[in-house]
Amino acid sequence: MNPDGLLTNLNNSQHAAVSSFADTLAILAGPGSGKTHTLTSRTAWLLAQGLQPWNVVVATFTVKAAREMKERIGKLIGNGMESKLVLGTFHSISRRYLARYGHLIDIRKDFGIADSADSLAIIKRIVKRFDFSIDPKVARSRISGRKARTSVIEEGEIRKPAAKSVEAEEFERCYVEYEDALKRSNLLDYDDLLLRCVDLLRKHPSCVSNVEAVLIDEFQDTNLVQFDLMRLFAAHKKRITIVGDPDQSIYGFRAAEIKNYKRMLHQYPDTVTIALEENYRSSGAILLTALNVIEQDSSRVAKSLLPTHIVGTRPVLRKLAGAHKEAEWIVTEIQRTKGLTGDLLDLNDFAILLRSASLSRLIETALGKAGIAYRMVGGLRFYDRVEIKTILDYLRVISQPDNNDALARIINTPSRRIGESTIKGLLEEADQAKITLWSLVLGIVQGKLTAKTKLKNPTEKNLSSFVNIILTARAKMGGPVEERMSTVELINFVLKKTDYEEWLLEHHGDVHKSRWENVQELITQATDFQDAISFGYEDEALPGIDGLGQEEDSDHLSKFLANVALASEVKKDDEEGSTTAQVTISTIHAAKGLEWPVVFIPATYQGSIPHSRAEDTNEERRLLYVAMTRAKALLYMSCPLKNSQGEETTLSPFLTLPSLAPLLDSKGPSLGSSTVQSMAQILRRNLPTTESISVSSISLPSIEDDLFPKEGKEDAHEKEVRLNSITGGNPTFTMGQQAPKRRRVELRRSISDLEEGTERNWKPTYATTMDRASSFTAAAVGIGMKSGFVGAGCHLQVLKEQSVNMSLQDTEDVEMPSKKKTAEKKSKSLEGQGTLLGFLGKPEPGKPIPIKSQEPQHPPSTQFSISRTLNQPRPPALYTATTTIHPSLSTHRLNRISTNIRPRQPPPSQTEQQSKRNDYVFLSSSPPRPKHPIVEEPVEPPPGLVAKPPLLPLIRPPSVSMHETSIERLKAGNGGSGIGGKGKTLGVRRSMNGWAARKGGGSGGFVPPVMKRNA
């Protein structure tokens, strides 16, 4: 083997790392820096230096990573030497040593592995038996955490601490009972595999005296026990290579220790550290933004990332109105990005990374409505499917019948008329007797034991047939080597004895075919694994050590079951090789080590990231850093102003630094030709053709990210867009548009709000019908009314008033009456609107009364407060009948007393008068009448009737006028289309007329209120 050939295609830092002669080497590899390539090249280089593969230990964290590394090493060195390496996950390597040398620390041969379901089932039974109050899942997590932070030597001291509380006593008792249950069933859980291996290597270090080099992948994810394992494996030669990135340490909840790097520097002071800083994944803009996020952590190991790609487009930080809008925006942006890049991208190139899996609901719904296919990462494992798990449980009981939980799951599958209560009773009876369930059942069938649990005769008969299946299979598996059943033959034996296909058809008829295909896939996997062992590819033999005996581990079934139990990745065979492109939805934790051209990170707000229950803020920052560096060309982050529960949110503190502002864009990038070209360059793909872009973008609603407001304030944005589309930026009603239909008056505003008019810009208030009904004011419904609603009598009075106003308007259009001129002159001499009569343009008896100096006197029967009438808190004095008009209204009068009269127009013809009379709408929210003839415009149809109306942007949205109020036109002044426009009345007239009618105005024409002064 030529060592120099292994150093080709490496950059300077990778070359230095691979060819280093340092005994202890730390390679700090940032995201996308070629970590796996460097580690495999380092392994191959060490073998090229003369090291034997069976003396080299390579530990990874996933089965997938171990397979990939083995394949890469095989391509580098060839000759099948990669299969001789002690390569795998920490758990699988530990199991290999325990299988060979476990007898040295009293571990029985052919021990089983308790998976997470087994552990939880055991703890549930313990909690129920002793009536503990502790939650089983919490107890399991605490037990795992304790084991991950301790060692077997210290375990005896920890298991019997001085209890400080009832909860602590319960947990300690639960821990002891759990360990005893595992021991009776000859089971080791995942944490025990590591702990017991540490125990073995400490007591018998000669087991690893042959090891010449140890290489650890993803070192930042190791816990204390794994750190001890590394040191014990390398105890003889002390040759260690670790590869990792402290900035990507995100598994603190699994007891991962980010401080292990500093521990290594302390334990091995001669460690050489080499940083891989050249990034081959992400654009320069994405890397720069990610570095600005992670560098906020002052305690991190200082290192940088250098982009090898062009700058590209800036990452996006998008604000949306709410979580629903955020989901819709993600869908529209996926469609826009895919549409404007032609055949450059497909759905497989998009990923949505979530801090919590619970955030996927709205996004899945939005994708489903849009007809976009997606897949969930981290779903149900292939081996956890019910039809697969049942067969595996049969194999586990055949291999290790003392496995109580596996036995309990299959004892009545297929049905043997053994009920759940009977099974639970047998389990409880076995636990109390401190024996296994198999020992109890076997004793009952053989007549050696009498069950306390009542068993009917058919039940005992069926139980006997079940025991015969297990005993027969064990006999066939334990015979002479040449007569032993293989794993595949055992599976077929179980399928035949249980009539498994018929049982699937009976219980899963609708999906029977797919489930049976999964069973056939399991047989195929068992065949492949068996062939791999036969050809030495899965050889788990360890080199012989002088003076140290090894146990035989030739049982293929136990190896196969261990491989299944330690398989960490999710395998969905129906998706593998599928031609259907799908968007990936994944948690950030599950996405580590993966990459996509386009990445979305939703819910970047306080409480989501950093998570509300997170204890380590720095780890949460690293989590965001990991998510950002999964993206190659485009990175989208979004923050809804309200979460899915409707609660207001605050942007994540990781994204609020001023230095980040110029690095982030507030909306999606414009995907022009230059942007698409840079994306193709980053992805190393061919540039899409113009024809493909034309075809893929033809149905896009917009080629820009402008379907949602830029800052998330949807109401304000939509109103601005509507006004600009109608008036070109000037919100007036002088463009000849049709007057809107009569709408419910928005009566929620107070007169005092006028002072804030400029600041608030008079945004419309959206409220439900009941909200508006409960907020009617005295000025709106009339003085003296005892209800918050307008009665039928008041409506009749409004019609009379409307008739009078229309007549007055017609008269004013023809000529200027002397009465109006007199009132107009008088209004100019007044300072403001001193009284209600002055506001209405009516003559007053005597002198004008200055504002706020005197108040009109009302009969006692008409004086009231809103709080008494509407059972609401008392409003400001401006809302009472005894209050004068607010000064802010002093410049807004009706036409008859206006100080700013429009230029006189020529007298209209009779036809125009009739047209005006027909178009008149008596409402305070009515818009001014246009000066020019009204041009009919098409009315926008209700949403949903037209799939893609071609002229939708050109049609005036009806909501412009729906939410336009009289107050908004008050702000427009008396000119143009303001309140001073002809024929317009303020809502106060309606209220005052109602008061006049109740005061005894009679049923005749309009009678204005008469105000009397005290002498």
Side-chain angles (χ1 to χ4, degrees):
M1 183 190 303
N2 181 14
D4 295 333
L6 300 174
L7 303 178
T8 58
N9 299 323
L10 297 175
N11 61 37
N12 293 335
S13 55
Q14 291 173 340
H15 186 285
V18 170
S19 59
S20 173
F21 286 93
D23 284 337
T24 52
L25 175 66
I27 304 174
L28 301 185
S33 59
K35 168 183 65 67
T36 304
H37 180 51
T38 304
L39 184 59
T40 53
S41 299
R42 172 72 173 172
T43 305
W45 186 84
L46 289 173
L47 295 177
Q49 301 304 311
L51 274 63
Q52 299 301 318
W54 48 83
N55 294 333
V56 177
V57 176
V58 184
T60 67
F61 270 82
T62 66
V63 175
K64 180 180 178 181
R67 271 191 208 134
E68 182 181 356
M69 193 170 296
K70 182 176 288 188
E71 291 174 0
R72 291 194 183 191
I73 294 174
K75 292 178 181 178
L76 289 175
I77 61 177
N79 298 326
M81 298 294 288
E82 72 279 1
S83 62
K84 304 297 181 181
L85 289 165
V86 183
L87 189 155
T89 64
F90 272 102
H91 294 88
S92 65
I93 293 173
S94 297
R95 183 209 162 267
R96 290 171 68 172
Y97 276 90
L98 292 175
R100 297 290 181 176
Y101 301 110
H103 63 282
L104 299 176
I105 54 174
D106 299 326
I107 293 179
R108 286 184 285 167
K109 183 181 179 181
D110 297 332
F111 61 87
I113 300 175
D115 59 18
S116 299
D118 296 329
S119 299
L120 184 60
I122 294 172
I123 294 173
K124 282 182 177 179
R125 289 201 305 274
I126 294 171
V127 169
K128 183 177 180 181
R129 187 192 322 146
F130 294 98
D131 196 24
F132 290 155
S133 59
I134 189 172
D135 181 80
K137 291 184 178 180
V138 174
R140 183 183 63 176
S141 178
R142 290 181 60 184
I143 290 173
S144 178
R146 167 180 286 190
K147 290 183 176 182
R149 292 180 174 89
T150 186
S151 64
V152 174
I153 292 188
E154 300 169 338
E155 189 177 339
E157 302 174 3
I158 295 179
R159 288 178 60 173
K160 298 179 181 180
K164 297 181 180 180
S165 64
V166 174
E167 181 184 2
E169 291 178 356
E170 287 186 355
F171 174 71
E172 294 303 326
R173 182 71 182 275
C174 182
Y175 186 93
V176 172
E177 291 291 335
Y178 173 74
E179 290 296 300
D180 290 343
L182 290 177
K183 189 174 182 179
R184 283 197 304 271
S185 298
N186 193 24
L187 294 175
L188 298 178
D189 64 16
Y190 292 139
D191 299 298
D192 286 333
L193 290 173
L194 304 181
L195 280 172
R196 301 294 282 167
C197 189
V198 168
D199 186 23
L200 169 68
L201 300 184
R202 279 179 174 169
K203 294 178 178 178
H204 303 276
S206 57
C207 294
V208 289
S209 59
N210 66 297
V211 175
E212 298 178 299
V214 177
L215 298 95
I216 309 295
D217 189 21
E218 303 287 4
F219 183 75
Q220 75 279 351
D221 295 330
T222 55
N223 57 32
L224 292 177
V225 177
Q226 290 162 338
F227 183 80
D228 282 345
L229 270 177
M230 178 195 73
R231 293 176 56 246
L232 292 169
F233 280 134
H236 182 58
K237 293 288 186 180
K238 292 184 173 58
R239 185 178 289 128
I240 302 173
T241 298
I242 62 114
V243 179
D245 181 12
D247 290 338
Q248 298 185 71
S249 178
I250 60 174
Y251 293 108
F253 64 97
R254 295 181 186 170
E257 281 283 342
I258 191 174
K259 296 180 181 178
N260 277 351
Y261 172 67
K262 294 183 178 179
R263 288 190 178 95
M264 181 176 178
L265 298 182
H266 178 73
Q267 293 276 346
Y268 306 95
D270 295 331
T271 298
V272 174
T273 299
I274 299 176
L276 307 183
E277 296 184 332
E278 293 185 54
N279 179 279
Y280 295 93
R281 176 187 298 160
S282 305
S283 69
I286 293 175
L287 284 185
L288 181 59
T289 308
L291 281 173
N292 270 267
V293 169
I294 197 62
E295 286 173 353
Q296 299 170 22
D297 182 6
S298 58
S299 63
R300 65 183 285 269
V301 179
K303 59 185 179 64
S304 184
L305 280 177
L306 304 175
T308 58
H309 293 301
I310 59 176
V311 175
T313 61
R314 290 186 297 174
V316 175
L317 178 57
R318 196 69 154 82
K319 294 183 180 179
L320 285 307
H324 288 83
K325 293 295 182 183
E326 179 184 47
E328 294 174 10
W329 170 77
I330 290 174
V331 170
T332 57
E333 199 62 13
I334 289 175
Q335 293 171 330
R336 186 180 75 92
T337 304
K338 186 175 180 298
L340 294 176
T341 55
D343 54 6
L344 180 66
L345 300 173
D346 62 20
L347 293 181
N348 290 326
D349 296 321
F350 294 84
I352 304 171
L353 305 184
L354 310 173
R355 172 60 182 89
S356 173
S358 61
L359 296 169
S360 70
R361 181 179 61 86
L362 294 177
I363 296 174
E364 289 186 68
T365 302
L367 289 170
K369 287 182 179 180
I372 297 177
Y374 65 91
R375 59 172 168 261
M376 294 290 297
V377 173
L380 188 66
R381 294 193 320 156
F382 173 78
Y383 300 117
D384 288 335
R385 295 174 180 177
V386 60
E387 67 275 11
I388 301 300
K389 193 168 182 63
T390 300
I391 298 175
L392 291 176
D393 281 336
Y394 267 98
L395 297 180
R396 294 171 74 187
V397 172
I398 292 171
S399 176
Q400 187 63 41
D402 288 333
N403 190 327
N404 282 2
D405 296 284
L407 179 60
R409 285 192 291 266
I410 64 171
I411 198 171
N412 194 44
T413 304
S415 176
R416 299 182 178 90
R417 302 178 65 181
I418 305 174
E420 288 293 326
S421 58
T422 301
I423 297 174
K424 291 180 179 178
L426 291 173
L427 272 171
E428 186 67 23
E429 187 176 339
D431 286 339
Q432 290 177 353
K434 300 295 183 181
I435 60 176
T436 64
L437 179 60
W438 172 254
S439 300
L440 177 62
V441 170
L442 185 62
I444 293 172
V445 170
Q446 295 177 345
K448 298 178 181 180
L449 295 175
T450 302
K452 297 179 182 178
T453 304
K454 186 177 180 180
L455 299 175
K456 298 179 181 180
N457 290 334
T459 301
E460 290 188 4
K461 182 179 179 181
N462 292 333
L463 202 59
S464 178
S465 64
F466 168 75
V467 170
N468 286 334
I469 293 175
I470 303 301
L471 291 177
T472 302
R474 285 182 59 79
K476 291 180 177 296
M477 186 185 69
V481 177
E482 61 277 3
E483 298 179 3
R484 290 179 185 176
M485 269 191 177
S486 66
T487 302
V488 175
E489 291 172 333
L490 282 173
I491 294 175
N492 288 322
F493 173 80
V494 170
L495 295 178
K496 180 180 178 181
K497 288 294 182 179
T498 58
D499 294 325
Y500 199 67
E501 186 174 6
E502 288 76 9
W503 179 79
L504 284 177
L505 180 62
E506 180 182 352
H507 288 80
H508 306 282
D510 53 339
V511 289
H512 158 261
K513 185 177 180 181
S514 62
R515 291 186 183 274
W516 183 248
E517 288 176 352
N518 288 335
V519 173
Q520 299 303 313
E521 173 61 25
L522 178 66
I523 295 175
T524 301
Q525 289 189 25
T527 303
D528 293 342
F529 185 82
Q530 192 169 291
D531 292 342
I533 291 178
S534 300
F535 289 107
Y537 193 75
E538 293 288 345
D539 185 13
E540 294 189 356
L542 295 174
I545 306 297
D546 292 340
L548 207 61
Q550 292 187 19
E551 287 189 341
E552 285 293 327
D553 189 21
S554 58
D555 183 2
H556 291 182
L557 178 59
S558 61
K559 291 181 180 180
F560 174 73
L561 293 174
N563 182 73
V564 168
L566 298 174
S568 56
E569 80 275 15
V570 175
K571 181 176 176 59
K572 292 190 176 181
D573 296 87
D574 53 343
E575 293 177 359
E576 291 187 358
S578 174
T579 57
T580 303
Q582 298 171 312
V583 173
T584 300
I585 303 178
S586 172
T587 62
I588 301 175
H589 288 97
K592 187 173 176 294
L594 305 177
E595 59 186 26
W596 293 270
V598 184
V599 168
F600 290 84
I601 309 174
T604 56
Y605 53 78
Q606 180 78 39
S608 174
I609 186 164
H611 198 275
S612 57
R613 296 193 300 270
E615 298 179 357
D616 188 348
T617 303
N618 288 331
E619 180 170 318
E620 292 294 300
R621 184 184 291 106
R622 295 193 293 270
L623 198 61
L624 178 59
Y625 173 74
V626 167
M628 295 172 71
T629 52
R630 300 308 97 195
K632 294 182 178 180
L634 295 180
L635 172 61
Y636 293 89
M637 296 176 286
S638 55
C639 176
L641 301 185
K642 291 187 178 180
N643 60 21
S644 57
Q645 285 78 38
E647 303 167 339
E648 293 187 359
T649 63
T650 303
L651 182 63
S652 172
F654 307 145
L655 299 173
T656 56
L657 285 185
S659 60
L660 275 172
L663 304 179
L664 297 169
D665 208 340
S666 58
K667 67 173 186 176
S670 297
L671 297 173
S673 59
S674 60
T675 303
V676 176
Q677 185 175 0
S678 67
M679 291 175 61
Q681 186 175 347
I682 293 170
L683 301 177
R684 295 182 175 88
R685 298 179 182 179
N686 294 328
L687 193 66
T689 62
T690 306
E691 291 76 13
S692 68
I693 295 177
S694 300
V695 172
S696 61
S697 63
I698 191 170
S699 60
L700 293 178
S702 176
I703 63 172
E704 297 291 340
D705 180 14
D706 56 4
L707 298 180
F708 297 83
K710 201 171 182 181
E711 295 299 325
K713 298 179 181 178
E714 186 173 17
D715 297 342
H717 172 81
E718 288 184 348
K719 183 170 179 70
E720 180 182 355
V721 170
R722 289 193 295 265
L723 291 176
N724 289 338
S725 65
I726 294 173
T727 66
N730 184 21
T732 64
F733 287 85
T734 59
M735 297 185 67
Q737 69 269 29
Q738 184 178 0
K741 296 180 180 180
R742 177 169 175 166
R743 301 287 296 180
R744 180 184 295 275
V745 187
E746 282 289 349
L747 299 173
R748 299 182 62 178
R749 308 189 192 284
S750 66
I751 300 176
S752 60
D753 286 346
L754 286 171
E755 296 175 352
E756 302 172 342
T758 303
E759 180 179 349
R760 293 174 54 184
N761 199 24
W762 297 106
K763 303 299 179 187
T765 302
Y766 299 90
T768 62
T769 302
M770 292 310 298
D771 287 339
R772 291 193 293 267
S774 64
S775 60
F776 282 121
T777 62
V781 300
I783 300 174
M785 293 180 63
K786 297 182 180 180
S787 172
F789 299 93
V790 179
C794 190
H795 277 296
L796 291 175
Q797 191 65 29
V798 168
L799 293 177
K800 293 178 184 179
E801 182 177 344
Q802 179 177 352
S803 177
V804 173
N805 287 337
M806 290 174 65
S807 300
L808 289 174
Q809 179 65 33
D810 292 341
T811 304
E812 291 169 358
D813 286 342
V814 177
E815 61 181 355
M816 177 74 72
S818 59
K819 182 177 180 180
K820 180 177 179 180
K821 294 179 180 179
T822 304
E824 190 175 312
K825 292 178 181 179
K826 185 174 181 179
S827 66
K828 292 182 179 179
S829 65
L830 293 177
E831 184 178 348
Q833 290 177 308
T835 64
L836 290 174
L837 292 177
F839 175 78
L840 294 173
K842 300 299 180 180
E844 303 181 31
K847 288 185 176 182
I849 301 175
I851 297 176
K852 295 185 181 180
S853 61
Q854 298 182 22
E855 294 180 352
Q857 300 298 318
H858 299 273
S861 61
T862 65
Q863 296 180 355
F864 72 107
S865 67
I866 294 179
S867 60
R868 182 173 69 248
T869 305
L870 301 180
N871 194 25
Q872 294 179 351
R874 190 177 186 90
L878 290 169
Y879 279 79
T880 62
T882 59
T883 306
T884 59
I885 295 301
H886 194 274
S888 59
L889 291 179
S890 60
T891 59
H892 301 282
R893 299 191 178 93
L894 300 179
N895 282 347
R896 292 186 293 279
I897 58 173
S898 175
T899 60
N900 184 16
I901 302 176
R902 297 181 185 175
R904 185 180 181 88
Q905 301 293 333
S909 64
Q910 185 175 356
T911 303
E912 292 175 340
Q913 293 181 31
Q914 184 65 30
S915 175
K916 291 181 180 180
R917 184 176 292 108
N918 293 339
D919 290 340
Y920 185 85
V921 180
F922 181 74
L923 270 183
S924 62
S925 61
S926 305
R929 190 179 318 166
K931 300 196 310 185
H932 303 291
I934 296 175
V935 179
E936 287 287 335
E937 293 184 3
V939 180
E940 182 181 357
L945 294 183
V946 182
K948 295 173 184 176
L951 299 179
L952 185 60
L954 303 178
I955 300 175
R956 174 178 58 85
S959 55
V960 173
S961 57
M962 289 178 184
H963 302 287
E964 192 71 28
T965 65
S966 59
I967 302 300
E968 292 178 78
R969 285 185 295 283
L970 273 174
K971 287 186 61 62
N974 295 327
S977 59
I979 196 64
K982 295 182 180 181
K984 302 303 168 188
T985 58
L986 195 62
V988 177
R989 293 186 60 186
R990 175 176 176 178
S991 301
M992 294 306 300
N993 187 49
W995 169 59
R998 286 165 174 74
K999 189 178 177 182
S1003 58
F1006 172 73
V1007 180
V1010 178
M1011 182 176 297
K1012 296 181 180 181
R1013 277 202 187 87
N1014 295 330

